[in-house]
Amino acid sequence: MTDANATDENALRTAVDFWFDPSCPWAWMTSRWVDEVARQRPLDITWHIMSLAVLNEDKDVSDDHRAFFPRALRYTRLVTAVGELHGADKVKPLYDALGELIHPGGSEDPDTVIPAALAAIGLPVDLARYSDSDEFDARMRESHFDGISRVGEDVGTPVIAVNGVAFFGPVISPAPRGQQALDLWDGVVAVSSYDGFFELKRSRTRDPIFE
């Protein structure tokens, strides 16, 4: 490939930033859709951590939700630590490994999920200690607020930015495949690119459908 061809190919690539909380099943569904699009389109995706625990720390939420946040926080702390200590290229593999165990796998025990996910991607299992440490909380919160600042406080996870234009969601189930995935991508990117577009929503009629 000539330098000119490489330059042309790079110019056609789409920069995508994806903020996720590993514990969120809806973010997991959306990430599987984005993965499907990336298999068919030239996307340069950067994966960032955000935190439902941080998002809701000052909000009045139900006791059930409040009880969920400590477990979610352990996953976000772990991903942040691994990214800082072993490089950003480990963030997505760790997310995939955690998510497979948490969502399709149905595991609610972080003491089981965390070491299994670390082992699955070839990282030392003793990194699990960072899931209970606040050592990298400042970096985690910085990443979280970087994503939230682009869309506002009244949203959740995931947050996606396409060529710098950010939006929450989409909330989908199941994750579309093939041409349907591309059609949804083109539609979401089209509506989000309009500066005056803010919201499109309907009530959820199904839970996440994992494949």
Side-chain angles (χ1 to χ4, degrees):
M1 180 182 295
T2 67
D3 290 344
N5 287 338
T7 300
D8 290 343
E9 182 177 326
N10 288 336
L12 294 173
R13 302 190 69 81
T14 300
V16 178
D17 292 274
F18 192 110
W19 282 264
F20 65 94
D21 184 311
S23 63
C24 178
W26 297 105
W28 176 254
M29 299 300 300
T30 307
S31 72
R32 301 309 94 182
W33 163 61
V34 171
D35 278 348
E36 175 69 10
V37 174
R39 283 188 276 271
Q40 304 177 70
R41 295 274 181 86
L43 306 184
D44 285 330
I45 308 173
T46 304
W47 300 85
H48 308 270
I49 201 69
M50 64 180 294
S51 171
L52 290 173
V54 172
L55 182 67
N56 290 281
E57 61 188 356
D58 296 323
K59 296 180 180 176
D60 183 17
V61 299
S62 69
D63 290 342
D64 287 345
H65 278 86
R66 187 69 63 192
F68 160 81
F69 294 141
R71 182 170 76 244
L73 184 60
R74 292 186 66 184
Y75 296 133
T76 59
R77 282 174 162 171
L78 177 72
V79 173
T80 304
V82 166
E84 292 296 305
L85 297 172
H86 291 270
D89 61 322
K90 295 295 186 182
V91 168
K92 179 56 162 50
L94 181 55
Y95 179 31
D96 290 342
L98 289 168
E100 286 290 345
L101 293 164
I102 297 167
H103 303 302
S107 179
E108 297 184 354
D109 180 12
D111 290 327
T112 299
V113 169
I114 288 171
L118 289 168
I121 65 170
L123 288 178
V125 174
D126 65 2
L127 287 168
R129 68 186 186 276
Y130 288 105
S131 71
D132 289 312
S133 168
D134 63 2
E135 181 174 347
F136 295 102
D137 276 13
R139 180 68 191 94
M140 181 263 289
R141 295 174 74 90
E142 178 185 350
S143 176
H144 170 85
F145 286 113
D146 180 28
I148 286 295
S149 68
R150 300 167 188 243
V151 290
E153 290 287 341
D154 56 340
V155 300
T157 176
V159 171
I160 303 176
V162 180
N163 288 330
V165 178
F167 50 89
F168 160 66
V171 177
I172 53 176
S173 180
R177 302 294 182 185
Q179 184 60 46
Q180 193 174 43
L182 297 180
D183 291 343
L184 179 61
W185 177 262
D186 290 338
V188 169
V189 171
V191 297
S192 65
S193 66
Y194 175 59
D195 182 64
F197 176 81
F198 299 109
E199 188 171 353
L200 179 68
K201 187 174 182 178
R202 59 185 173 189
S203 298
R204 301 175 194 175
T205 58
R206 65 184 69 148
D207 293 329
I209 299 173
F210 305 122
E211 297 178 302

